[in-house]
Amino acid sequence: MSVNPPFRADIVGSFLRPEAVKTARAAHAAGELDADGLRRVEDEAITALVAREAAAGLRVATDGEFRRSWWHFDFFGMLDGVNVVELDHGIQFQGVQTRPLGLHIDGPVGFPADHPMLEHFRFLKPVAEAAGVTPKFSIPAPTVLDFRLERDALEGSAYRGHDDIFDDLAATYRAAVQAFYDAGCRYLQFDDTAWAYLCSDVELAKAAERGIRTDHLAERYAALINASLRDKPADMVITTHVCRGNFRSTWISSGGYEPVAEQLLGETAFDGYFLEYDSERAGGFEPLRFLPKGAKVVELGLVTTKSGALEDVDGLKRRIDEAAAIAPLDQLALSPQCGFASTEEGNVLTEAEQWAKIEETVAVAADVWADA
């Protein structure tokens, strides 16, 4: 089994929030618990989570995103020039909307030296290393910020349109990569919904309505990613997770990776790709033909986080064999399809079911790549 990330059995990042964390966050929001009190509860829960991740056989551990409400808005709202604002609508999933929040740009976008998530990682690092596992941290990709902007999100800023923000976005992420590296992070992940939405005609039409120029957007996003990763240190692994939407076990987009596979797999400078393959909405494995031969790894997201039912082990192995007919087995790995709680509400399954899925992922990967 691989000793370096991305691992043969890996994880996207988020876990169901323990009741203690939910209670503490509610008390903090109500003014009944101060920031130090909330942090102590989170610290204790994260320490227990890391121990559980290691006990499940993982070689990697995250903080479960226990300090976040959203997988993306928390990070974005802590950037210079970006505000999280109330809207008159949320993000529409199948049959449900998120809370009505969005982003507004009111100044030059930048990465502050004291971004709070650097401290989040600094807590995780020694806890993970004491447990004998690699600490992994996830942040939303720069493409997500651009794709999620409403039509009026740039009004009042120095940016005339979406293309004008790309240079500052890339510089922001170069600074973020270096800051996390300096904090000791060697395994970072860009979580990304934009690439999946580019595979959906429905979502592309919505993007056009928001004022996004959708022609050749995959090429422009590949350039944005590469500019963001331009100065990545050689001993730092940066992967991406491509998500079709994950909120209370629902989803947003459908469509296979074919429309973007050449740009995403063949042209971006990521070290690995976490790709959702847990349902027919993801299409077949044929787009994996664009994975360059070499060290890059695709994590096959065959284990769904949207329900508690365990996958059939033989079925998982058959699907891995199908993928290996397209891309080399030694460039493949296994993970859950997404996190278990992209927002603090979490998906519709129990903690016991969550851990059963992690343990199954580890066991299947150990069998398939026993000699790797």
Side-chain angles (χ1 to χ4, degrees), residues 91-98 193 196-197 200 202-203 206 243-255 276 278-282 304-306 337-338 347:
I91 301 170
Q92 185 64 54
F93 282 70
Q94 298 299 312
V96 63
Q97 273 195 19
T98 64
T193 51
Y197 297 162
S200 165
V202 173
E203 294 305 315
K206 292 179 183 177
C243 177
R244 288 173 174 77
N246 190 52
F247 176 66
R248 293 181 174 176
S249 293
T250 62
W251 50 275
I252 292 179
S253 65
S254 295
E276 297 190 340
D278 65 318
S279 76
E280 293 180 355
R281 291 185 296 106
T304 190
T305 66
K306 296 186 185 299
Q337 139 266 340
C338 195
N347 282 351

Side-chain angles (χ1 to χ4, degrees), residues 307-327:
S307 77
L310 277 177
E311 281 72 13
D312 174 72
V313 169
D314 289 338
L316 289 176
K317 291 180 179 179
R318 282 195 300 273
R319 296 207 68 200
I320 293 170
D321 286 343
E322 292 170 11
I326 307 295

Side-chain angles (χ1 to χ4, degrees), residues 232-313:
K232 179 182 79 71
D235 60 338
M236 187 180 199
V237 170
I238 301 184
T239 59
T240 190
H241 168 239
V242 178
C243 177
R244 288 173 174 77
N246 190 52
F247 176 66
R248 293 181 174 176
S249 293
T250 62
W251 50 275
I252 292 179
S253 65
S254 295
Y257 297 101
E258 191 68 29
V260 301
E262 185 172 6
Q263 294 81 17
L264 176 63
L265 299 178
E267 297 179 9
T268 61
F270 288 117
D271 298 301
Y273 305 85
F274 286 70
L275 302 183
E276 297 190 340
Y277 273 115
D278 65 318
S279 76
E280 293 180 355
R281 291 185 296 106
F285 295 121
E286 292 81 6
L288 296 181
R289 70 187 184 277
F290 290 106
L291 181 69
K293 299 295 189 291
K296 288 191 174 193
V297 171
V298 165
E299 295 277 348
L300 301 171
L302 298 171
V303 178
T304 190
T305 66
K306 296 186 185 299
S307 77
L310 277 177
E311 281 72 13
D312 174 72
V313 169

Side-chain angles (χ1 to χ4, degrees), residues 53-127:
E53 290 171 277
L58 291 169
R59 296 173 181 260
V60 59
T62 71
D63 65 2
E65 301 180 9
F66 284 177
R67 303 189 199 273
R68 305 186 204 183
S69 178
W70 303 76
W71 66 276
H72 56 341
F73 284 151
D74 295 63
F75 179 87
F76 289 147
M78 297 168 180
L79 296 177
D80 292 336
V82 182
N83 290 310
V84 178
V85 296
E86 292 276 349
L87 300 177
D88 61 2
H89 62 278
I91 301 170
Q92 185 64 54
F93 282 70
Q94 298 299 312
V96 63
Q97 273 195 19
T98 64
R99 285 166 279 157
L101 296 180
L103 301 172
H104 188 268
I105 310 300
D106 65 0
V109 177
F111 188 81
D114 60 348
H115 194 289
M117 288 193 184
L118 293 170
E119 193 58 38
H120 297 176
F121 176 78
R122 291 188 186 103
F123 177 84
L124 172 65
K125 184 176 186 292
V127 173

Side-chain angles (χ1 to χ4, degrees), residues 18 28 55 100 104 110 112 172 196 210 242 323:
H28 179 65
H104 188 268
T172 296
R210 294 195 300 272
V242 178

Side-chain angles (χ1 to χ4, degrees), residues 1 14 21 67 147 163 168 172 198 219 334 365:
M1 295 286 284
S14 66
V21 171
R67 303 189 199 273
F147 198 84
D163 290 347
D168 284 354
T172 296
L198 297 187
E219 289 83 355
L334 181 64

